[in-house]
Amino acid sequence: MILALKKYMTRLPEKIWFRAMLFSLGAIAAAAAAEWVGPMFPYEADLELASGSVGDILTILASSMLAVIAFSVSIMVSAYGAATSTATPRTIALMLADDRSQNALSTFLGTFLFSIVGIIGLSAGYYDDQGRIILFFATILVIVLITGTLINWIQQLSTFGRMNDLIERVEQASSKALRWHGQHPFLGAHPPIDIPDEALPVSCDIASGVVTSVDMGRLEQAAEKYGVTVHLSIHPGKLVYPARPLLYLSGNEVNGVDPQPFRDTILIEHDRSFDQDPRFGLVVLSEIASRALSPAVNDPGTAISVLDSGLRCFEVFAAACAAPEDPRYSRVHGPVIETGDLFTDFFIKIARDGAGIVEVQQRIQLCLLALAQSWPDIFSADASEASRNALARAREHIVHEQDIKDLEARSQKVVEIGGT
């Protein structure tokens, strides 16, 4: 429950309603405070025109913002639908968490409520002359804010939900997770070791689901409390079920250990998330490429763009692996995230769906060569295997002899670096 609450609080700023609520409360407070802020300024309220026109300005703002909000919501819903049909539904979570769209909607809603509260206050005689002047200047500031927000929002609408925008969002989310796991191998714990035969397996006590987060700090605290060593057998993104152990506990007093505190450090949900799952972003990228390579779409250019994005993600991962941080959890042995699994999640699926498209196969071999040449210690063996796999699939579908020879030559370069 604590881990679920922490995860919820972490995701709270990504919710549209949360940011809109903060903007709205601020706008209401600004409109309501104009009355008692006015007496703090020692001046004579002689701006008759300003105090008399503020009601009309607020009325225009309220009606305009209502139309803008309705228009913006319809555009966002259309973008979500387009992303689902052209890319993959897994990108919707990233679009919902977009800062610029949330700021735009929150600002529009806050301005609408500011205008409504101001109009009500004017109609009820809440403001004196000084309060009306303060409200006028506050309205001018809101108009300036709205103007900047509208310009930024209009610019974003030209790319929001487009294919390049979706690929870039997934790349950024995937790179972030891969960078963290590269810097914190084994989730910040020690490398895995052979699990003792007498170790106590701890399984989940709920129905099957996907691990989305592991609280390593609390896991370390529980291990210290009971004087045991934890052998974590899962990482975020893994499917778990009651018969699959989450972790093993070893130590002299392991038989008397309550397993529940250890279960509570692992959050299991229905769907995968980008936060701590380094493989999910690569899976989503490959899904976008697979959709583009389907006969109904037939867009190899998008698949090539996805391959370029995946290459950059692997480069981020390799750079992070080059300077890992020291283990922070002395009583925990973390799981291994195999680079071969990362290659399977990304390259193999695209090679399968683009087996008969020469330009896609050529870009696959080029990306594998780039990884093998740049970081041979990390990627050469897996790149060699993926290269042979892609070539074998291409041979089954591409009939032109010259194309096959070209792919064989490209694959040979990758295999030679791998030494196999």
Side-chain angles (χ1 to χ4, degrees), residues 274-290:
F274 293 92
D275 298 337
Q276 289 191 10
D277 189 348
R279 298 175 60 180
F280 187 48
L282 296 176
V283 170
V284 174
L285 281 174
S286 67
E287 287 181 352
I288 296 175
S290 295

Side-chain angles (χ1 to χ4, degrees), residues 78 173 223 380 396:
S78 299
S380 60
E396 295 178 358

Side-chain angles (χ1 to χ4, degrees), residues 230-288:
V230 178
H231 305 268
L232 196 61
S233 58
I234 50 87
H235 58 74
K238 284 290 187 181
L239 175 68
V240 295
Y241 42 88
R244 183 177 191 176
L246 302 172
L247 50 87
Y248 294 86
L249 302 177
S250 64
N252 296 329
E253 305 295 332
V254 69
N255 292 328
V257 172
D258 179 13
Q260 194 58 44
F262 297 91
R263 290 194 187 101
D264 292 340
T265 63
I266 300 175
L267 181 62
I268 300 173
E269 298 180 289
H270 292 167
D271 300 313
R272 299 173 73 172
S273 67
F274 293 92
D275 298 337
Q276 289 191 10
D277 189 348
R279 298 175 60 180
F280 187 48
L282 296 176
V283 170
V284 174
L285 281 174
S286 67
E287 287 181 352
I288 296 175

Side-chain angles (χ1 to χ4, degrees), residues 145-185:
L145 176 63
I146 281 294
T147 301
T149 303
L150 275 173
I151 294 174
N152 185 47
W153 180 230
I154 291 172
Q155 181 180 0
Q156 183 182 356
L157 289 180
S158 62
T159 59
F160 187 66
R162 302 299 189 268
M163 184 60 70
N164 289 339
D165 177 56
L166 296 174
I167 294 174
E168 183 179 355
R169 292 177 188 275
V170 180
E171 179 186 338
Q172 291 175 354
S174 181
S175 297
K176 181 179 179 181
L178 287 167
R179 181 183 294 108
W180 190 92
H181 280 270
Q183 293 173 343
H184 305 84

